[in-house]
Amino acid sequence: MDLRNLAKAVATLLQNVVGIPANLTVLGVFVHVARTERRLLPTDAIVSHLVSVNLLLILTRGIPQSLSALDYRGFYDSATCKFLIFTYRTTRAMSISLTFVLSAYQCITIAPASSCLSRLKPWLYHCLLPLNLFFWLLNGGTTYTSILYTSQVRNATLSTNTLNLGYCLVVFPSEESYFANGVMYLTRDLFFVILMVLASFYILLLLYRHQRRVKGLQSSSMSQGSRAETRAAKTVVTLVTLYVLFFGIDNLIWAYTLATEQVPLLMNDVRVFFSSLYASVCPVVVIMSNRKVNRRFSCIKLAHSSYSKETVISTI
């Protein structure tokens, strides 16, 4: 194995080792909350949906990419490739959509009563399910080319309008369709990025005004709900910033790929790495910033500590 493939394997394996347990942990916590409290707050429902999508993204992209870097491509037939690429592209688009939904929901939640956005609060919760279904249908419909043009790796000369993922191929019928498909993805991602950036700036503006209002007052004068909303807003801004950074690099390299016939393999590896990095980092941010997740971890640690003490006493 050469140095490039070794670095690629280590990077993708690291993403899998971090991303899969982290997403499973956050998802497990919210499933537990839903069972014990019989309901999920809208923000928790969006985050749990987001980590579920991220988990699917890693399973359908991270694991095959790791096996490919380790020179294992044995069991991918055309049907498996179609499933993997379609699921990956749909979940990637859903990750974008849900991050936007999360930022938009937070904007409406912390908007002042005098704002036009505050009028959306009463019916916002009831729109989450239809909105999620709409995005699943939209993103699944825009990634149909994954089913039409994906095939297994074969020993043949590849044309310039072919995406070689190492474990599967996406062979477009013409350079025009290859370019149009790439432009469609870039336009979709850019649309959501612009909306998320605007939402983040609005959240930061509201937080700045709030900070100026309470400046000089004791921190205890702030209500618990106000603190929770501020903490949630900062988490959303962090997630949006990470998304714009990671997928921005991914899309910049993708745009360069569309404009250039010969793309260096290292540059393509960097794009693949950043295209899946958000799915691994997102749950880590949630674990570090979400109080419900932290509270469950504290309970687990306390229970483990008590069990260890009882075990030591019983042995004595």
Side-chain angles (χ1 to χ4, degrees), residues 7 125-126 165 217 238 276 288:
Y125 179 77
H126 302 286
L165 303 176
L217 300 178
T238 301
S276 305
M288 295 174 61

Side-chain angles (χ1 to χ4, degrees), residues 14-233:
L14 184 61
Q15 283 186 352
N16 297 338
V17 169
V18 173
I20 294 176
N23 281 295
L24 284 174
T25 299
V26 176
L27 184 60
V29 166
F30 285 124
V31 169
H32 177 72
V33 170
R35 291 186 61 184
T36 55
E37 300 181 7
R38 303 296 180 183
R39 65 186 295 269
L40 276 179
L41 295 176
T43 304
D44 296 338
I46 298 172
V47 173
S48 61
H49 193 182
L50 178 60
V51 296
S52 302
V53 165
N54 287 337
L55 181 61
L56 278 175
L57 190 154
I58 296 175
L59 292 176
T60 56
R61 183 60 174 260
I63 292 179
Q65 202 70 47
S66 300
L67 295 176
S68 174
L70 295 171
D71 292 330
Y72 183 79
R73 306 179 180 87
F75 61 90
Y76 299 117
D77 57 11
S78 291
T80 305
C81 284
K82 292 178 186 295
F83 170 78
L84 289 175
I85 304 304
F86 176 77
T87 305
Y88 161 72
R89 288 189 173 179
T90 303
T91 52
R92 180 187 180 279
M94 281 301 301
S95 183
I96 301 170
S97 303
L98 290 172
T99 304
F100 159 69
V101 171
L102 187 62
S103 60
Y105 179 83
Q106 198 61 46
C107 278
I108 297 173
T109 300
I110 68 175
S114 58
S115 173
C116 296
L117 292 176
S118 62
R119 300 174 185 175
L120 302 176
K121 292 181 181 180
W123 57 275
L124 183 62
Y125 179 77
H126 302 286
C127 291
L128 287 180
L129 180 59
L131 193 62
N132 288 334
L133 292 176
F134 168 75
F135 279 125
W136 273 108
L137 292 174
L138 175 66
N139 293 323
T142 54
T143 55
Y144 71 95
T145 54
S146 304
I147 299 177
L148 295 178
Y149 305 139
T150 302
S151 64
Q152 65 189 91
V153 176
R154 54 184 182 270
N155 294 325
T157 303
L158 301 179
S159 61
T160 57
N161 49 297
T162 298
L163 290 177
N164 185 0
L165 303 176
Y167 56 94
C168 293
L169 299 176
V170 182
V171 184
F172 292 91
S174 63
E175 292 187 6
E176 290 77 12
S177 61
Y178 173 79
F179 184 79
N181 183 77
V183 170
M184 180 188 68
Y185 288 146
L186 282 175
T187 304
R188 181 199 62 194
D189 292 355
L190 184 61
F191 173 75
F192 282 111
V193 165
I194 292 174
L195 292 179
M196 284 188 290
V197 169
L198 291 176
S200 296
F201 275 124
Y202 181 71
I203 292 173
L204 290 175
L205 177 63
L206 293 179
L207 291 178
Y208 174 73
R209 290 177 177 176
H210 178 73
Q211 186 177 10
R212 289 190 61 183
R213 262 198 318 270
V214 301
K215 190 175 182 179
L217 300 178
Q218 296 295 328
S219 60
S220 57
S221 64
M222 294 179 61
S223 66
Q224 185 176 0
S226 178
R227 291 178 182 176
E229 288 182 357
T230 301
R231 186 169 51 252

Side-chain angles (χ1 to χ4, degrees), residues 281-301:
V281 176
C282 173
V284 176
V285 174
V286 174
I287 290 173
M288 295 174 61
S289 58
N290 190 283
R291 295 192 66 180
K292 288 184 178 180
V293 178
N294 290 329
R295 196 180 303 125
R296 293 308 188 278
F297 271 116
S298 299
C299 292
I300 293 173
K301 290 181 180 179

Side-chain angles (χ1 to χ4, degrees), residues 212-273:
R212 289 190 61 183
R213 262 198 318 270
V214 301
K215 190 175 182 179
L217 300 178
Q218 296 295 328
S219 60
S220 57
S221 64
M222 294 179 61
S223 66
Q224 185 176 0
S226 178
R227 291 178 182 176
E229 288 182 357
T230 301
R231 186 169 51 252
K234 290 180 179 179
T235 302
V236 170
V237 172
T238 301
L239 290 176
V240 171
T241 303
L242 290 173
Y243 168 80
V244 173
L245 175 63
F246 297 153
F247 282 104
I249 295 174
D250 173 23
N251 284 323
L252 283 175
I253 299 177
W254 178 238
Y256 176 79
T257 302
L258 292 176
T260 309
E261 291 187 2
Q262 297 294 332
V263 180
L265 293 176
L266 179 60
M267 183 174 292
N268 187 61
D269 292 340
V270 171
R271 185 185 72 82
V272 170
F273 174 77

